[in-house]
Amino acid sequence: MQDSNPLGALFKSSIFGKITPVNNGNNVPTISLQHSLQQQSKSVKTNKSKPTIYVPSSRNERPLYAVYPNINNEAFTATMNCFRVFVAKLNDYRRDENILIDNYNEEVKKIELNSNQITLKKLFIKKHKTLCATQYNKEVAAFFDTHKFKLPKKKLHIVKYQTELVFQQFLHEYATQLKENTKVFKQLGIEEKRPLKQLEINSFKIVSLQRNGVKSIDVSKETIKNHRRHLVEAGVLFDYTFCGHKRGVKCHINSEILTVLDLKTQQLTTIENQLVKERTAKNFGNNKEVTVTELKNNNIKENVENISLGKGTASPDNSFVFYGNTNSQDEKKQTGAAAKNVKLSESLLKLIENEYDLCNNLAAGKYNNYKPIDIRALYQESLNGTTTREQFKELVIQDFFKNAARLYRNSTPYFGSWLKAYLSWMQRKFLVNGNLYRKDLMVEKLQEFRWRLNHATKWFQAKGVRPLFPNQYFDFTRTTSKEIGFEFTKNAYTRSQNSLTNKAKQENKMLADAKKRKERINHAKKFDLAFKRFTNNRATLNDTLDYIKNNLPENFRDKFSERLIEYSTKK
């Protein structure tokens, strides 16, 4: 039996890649870590220069190193104090620079430009207006070297107090992320110093933070993004990486500002008490945050450029020909629809009979094989017809009694029996607090009556029982099963509706269970793939933990630790 390696031995310097020297351009020797994955990937683009306005060095452009990093109250306070000192010095520098920029812009205003220079100026502003002030001013200087005339510069942004409040929320979120990350590393028994994981900034999560049931900072997501850009420009945040619109961005906090507590040594870790350590060299394929608006604008521009007045395209001068008759066409459609509704109303009104004629025809058996009015026609009339509510009520009740005549194919109810039942329904149905139902509600109620009538017909045929005369059968007081009245069929209708509702609930439950089952299978596949990428040295431990945190349920974090411990004993 082979001796099992301790779990912490899996995570030596090899997990962070091969260590090689890097020249950072400042004649300061630094160390870089190049991961084997970068050598395998050929499609990864090189990272562009970051728009910083501070002087990068081996001190502030590398993350801190710790075994078990944590941000307690003491580290939090120290970080905020360093932030305020850093921002105060930066604002003093920018105020002095803004004075020079104001003087420069005053000189530029006195310069008269010719037409070609004005065109170049407009094109330059259109191309570079989205850049931050520092990058924009650099482009202005490069433009002067090329075209030999000056353009106005942007004033540098002064970091406001509100940005400090936003940074405080970032730091609180970072403390939570480090705590979760450190918990996993402790479970795995890793005791090697490593660079701190990047801060993940999700603007939606930041604005959702609460303290004592109240929002910690009551601002919008766009406000958070604006302050985040100011912090990146100021050099408070670096190694900025855009991870998608849902996940937000990743970045490091300037090492001259950040202070953490190493739970392994129980000492505060700052830039001052660390030797020059390794710096992780990374290539990011996409380090520019592209908004949906920008994409739409680009598509619009491409479409406009591709449009030509070739064959089959109307010229602007004749565009009115295509739209001149739009109003008249709409009026014709509306007129035609109104005429159709009037025609339907007239045809339905013709079906209404005098109550005596109706009851005589019912007694004579004229409607024993009656075909009810199409429910769609009644719905259309209820919404767009011209009949009054009283007329529509009479139409609906007469249609119901004509349909009920099939119950009496084998009997001969008298005229008076039909008349009593009809008058009783006309007096009591479709009324609430003395007011008539809306016409569409009458149609819905008629559908219920038709279902109950079909149910009663089947019941009488199955039992071989003849129904009572109409004045008795449609009596509103016959509500029990022994009385054999139409009102009791309401119980059967209610049971039927409940059955349909329960059936729909069961189907929804089956679909929900199937969805959860498929999600569990999918999550298990994702977890296995993530674990395989890590064991094959295609992803770092921090990247793997971030992937599990952002894409899998919470229980997979503990499962990852258990799987890793099991893997180490077998290796």
Side-chain angles (χ1 to χ4, degrees):
M1 180 176 180
Q2 297 179 351
D3 294 336
S4 60
N5 297 324
L7 182 59
L10 291 175
F11 309 105
K12 296 297 184 182
S13 58
S14 60
I15 195 174
F16 300 111
K18 184 180 179 182
I19 301 177
T20 56
V22 171
N23 185 4
N24 61 4
N26 296 327
N27 295 324
V28 179
T30 60
I31 300 297
S32 174
L33 287 167
Q34 296 179 350
H35 198 271
S36 59
L37 178 59
Q38 294 176 351
Q39 298 175 359
Q40 297 173 3
S41 177
K42 298 181 179 179
S43 61
V44 178
K45 299 181 181 178
T46 57
N47 187 17
K48 299 181 181 179
S49 58
K50 294 179 285 295
T52 56
I53 65 168
Y54 66 103
V55 179
S57 67
S58 61
R59 289 167 58 85
N60 56 23
E61 278 263 308
R62 63 182 179 84
L64 294 177
Y65 278 65
V67 181
Y68 300 139
N70 184 36
I71 299 179
N72 59 357
N73 293 336
E74 186 179 0
F76 193 95
T77 302
T79 301
M80 292 306 302
N81 290 336
C82 292
F83 173 82
R84 295 184 187 99
V85 173
F86 182 91
V87 169
K89 292 180 180 179
L90 179 68
N91 285 342
D92 291 340
Y93 165 78
R94 287 183 169 183
R95 290 189 184 94
D96 294 339
E97 287 294 314
N98 285 340
I99 293 174
L100 299 177
I101 291 174
D102 287 336
N103 296 334
Y104 170 85
N105 289 340
E106 289 297 329
E107 294 179 2
V108 173
K109 289 180 181 179
K110 299 176 183 179
I111 300 175
E112 295 184 1
L113 304 179
N114 56 39
S115 60
N116 291 334
Q117 291 175 336
I118 292 174
T119 302
L120 288 174
K121 178 181 178 181
K122 290 180 179 179
L123 293 174
F124 176 86
I125 294 175
K126 184 177 181 180
K127 181 179 180 181
H128 300 292
K129 63 181 179 180
T130 57
L131 295 177
C132 67
T134 305
Q135 290 297 105
Y136 182 85
N137 294 343
K138 288 181 179 180
E139 293 294 337
V140 169
F143 183 86
F144 175 77
D145 294 339
T146 304
H147 300 284
K148 304 304 178 184
F149 71 92
K150 297 180 180 180
L151 294 178
K153 295 182 178 180
K154 287 184 178 181
K155 295 182 67 174
L156 302 179
H157 174 76
I158 303 299
V159 180
K160 304 295 193 303
Y161 174 71
Q162 290 82 352
T163 306
E164 178 183 335
L165 297 179
V166 174
F167 177 75
Q168 195 172 6
Q169 304 305 313
F170 290 170
L171 190 60
H172 172 77
E173 179 64 19
Y174 191 39
T176 304
Q177 295 172 11
L178 285 180
K179 184 177 180 181
E180 295 176 355
N181 193 258
T182 298
K183 178 182 176 182
V184 176
F185 275 75
K186 277 187 173 183
Q187 292 175 350
L188 299 177
I190 304 173
E191 295 184 353
E192 186 182 44
K193 278 195 174 184
R194 65 189 185 280
L196 267 62
K197 75 181 296 292
Q198 287 183 299
L199 162 64
E200 298 179 28
I201 303 176
N202 187 319
S203 56
F204 176 78
K205 191 172 183 180
I206 295 299
V207 299
S208 301
L209 292 176
Q210 292 187 352
R211 184 180 301 171
N212 298 327
V214 181
K215 283 188 175 181
S216 298
I217 180 169
D218 191 10
V219 295
S220 65
K221 294 189 296 183
E222 293 302 321
T223 302
I224 297 295
K225 292 178 182 177
N226 290 335
H227 286 290
R228 186 196 69 208
R229 295 188 190 100
H230 295 326
L231 292 171
V232 173
E233 294 169 12
V236 176
L237 307 177
F238 69 96
D239 272 354
Y240 174 91
T241 310
F242 176 60
C243 302
H245 297 286
K246 292 184 178 180
R247 289 185 54 189
V249 301
K250 288 184 177 181
C251 57
H252 280 296
I253 298 178
N254 192 325
S255 302
E256 295 182 357
I257 297 174
L258 182 61
T259 300
V260 298
L261 173 67
D262 193 338
L263 297 178
K264 176 67 176 178
T265 62
Q266 291 298 320
Q267 293 180 357
L268 292 177
T269 302
T270 64
I271 193 66
E272 301 298 335
N273 60 13
Q274 281 197 340
L275 298 176
V276 176
K277 291 290 182 180
E278 307 95 276
R279 178 186 168 200
T280 303
K282 296 182 180 179
N283 290 331
F284 301 121
N286 181 2
N287 65 342
K288 181 179 179 183
E289 185 170 356
V290 181
T291 62
V292 177
T293 305
E294 291 173 347
L295 291 175
K296 289 183 178 179
N297 291 338
N298 291 336
N299 292 336
I300 292 172
K301 290 179 181 178
E302 292 176 3
N303 293 335
V304 172
E305 291 173 356
N306 294 332
I307 291 175
S308 62
L309 295 177
K311 184 176 180 180
T313 304
S315 66
D317 293 335
N318 296 327
S319 61
F320 67 91
V321 175
F322 298 93
Y323 305 103
N325 296 328
T326 303
N327 293 334
S328 61
Q329 292 175 1
D330 291 341
E331 291 175 358
K332 288 181 180 178
K333 290 180 181 179
Q334 294 176 359
T335 304
K340 196 172 183 180
N341 293 332
V342 171
K343 187 175 181 180
L344 174 63
S345 300
E346 291 177 351
S347 62
L348 291 176
L349 286 174
K350 291 179 181 179
L351 299 177
I352 300 177
E353 301 180 46
N354 179 275
E355 56 189 26
Y356 296 105
D357 295 337
L358 171 68
C359 294
N360 278 323
N361 292 332
L362 289 171
K366 185 177 180 180
Y367 297 118
N368 287 353
N369 298 310
Y370 175 74
K371 183 178 179 181
I373 302 173
D374 191 340
I375 202 68
R376 294 169 297 180
L378 292 175
Y379 263 118
Q380 183 176 351
E381 172 63 24
S382 68
L383 298 175
N384 304 311
T386 60
T387 57
T388 63
R389 291 190 184 184
E390 290 77 6
Q391 292 173 332
F392 195 76
K393 172 186 175 181
E394 191 173 8
L395 173 68
V396 168
I397 291 179
Q398 287 194 7
D399 176 78
F400 170 75
F401 273 89
K402 292 175 183 178
N403 194 18
R406 58 182 170 169
L407 293 173
Y408 301 97
R409 290 173 180 169
N410 299 323
S411 58
T412 55
Y414 297 111
F415 164 82
S417 177
W418 281 111
L419 184 61
K420 286 181 180 180
Y422 176 74
L423 294 178
S424 176
W425 273 55
M426 286 294 297
Q427 290 174 0
R428 298 185 59 176
K429 282 296 181 183
F430 304 136
L431 291 173
V432 54
N433 295 329
N435 299 316
L436 281 175
Y437 284 12
R438 295 199 317 266
K439 292 193 288 185
D440 57 326
L441 296 180
M442 295 183 194
V443 178
E444 292 181 5
K445 204 65 177 175
L446 176 62
Q447 282 189 298
E448 176 189 335
F449 293 159
R450 287 181 178 180
W451 187 95
R452 290 163 60 183
L453 193 61
N454 290 334
H455 174 78
T457 303
K458 294 176 183 178
W459 187 86
F460 284 123
Q461 291 176 351
K463 299 297 182 180
V465 179
R466 287 188 179 184
L468 300 174
F469 278 3
N471 64 318
Q472 297 174 328
Y473 182 68
F474 293 107
D475 185 357
F476 297 113
T477 62
R478 293 178 177 268
T479 57
T480 64
S481 59
K482 299 295 183 180
E483 294 173 303
I484 312 180
F486 182 75
E487 287 300 310
F488 184 72
T489 58
K490 189 173 183 178
N491 295 338
Y493 179 77
T494 302
R495 289 196 301 270
S496 174
Q497 294 300 308
N498 292 338
S499 176
L500 293 176
T501 302
N502 293 333
K503 185 178 180 181
K505 288 181 179 179
Q506 291 176 357
E507 291 179 354
N508 292 336
K509 187 177 182 300
M510 289 177 58
L511 293 175
D513 293 341
K515 184 179 179 181
K516 291 179 181 178
R517 183 176 64 252
K518 294 180 187 299
E519 285 181 350
R520 286 195 299 268
I521 296 173
N522 189 32
H523 289 155
K525 288 182 179 179
K526 287 183 177 180
F527 176 78
D528 292 338
L529 289 174
F531 188 82
K532 189 175 181 180
R533 283 197 300 268
F534 172 73
T535 55
N536 291 338
N537 201 26
R538 294 170 55 197
T540 65
L541 182 58
N542 278 332
D543 291 339
T544 305
L545 292 176
D546 287 343
Y547 177 83
I548 293 174
K549 173 186 174 183
N550 294 319
N551 297 279
L552 298 175
E554 188 173 353
N555 62 301
F556 279 91
R557 299 183 196 175
D558 297 332
K559 188 176 180 181
F560 177 76
S561 302
E562 296 172 1
R563 178 77 69 87
L564 211 50
I565 294 173
E566 181 183 352
Y567 173 80
S568 67
T569 57
K570 293 180 180 179
K571 190 173 179 180

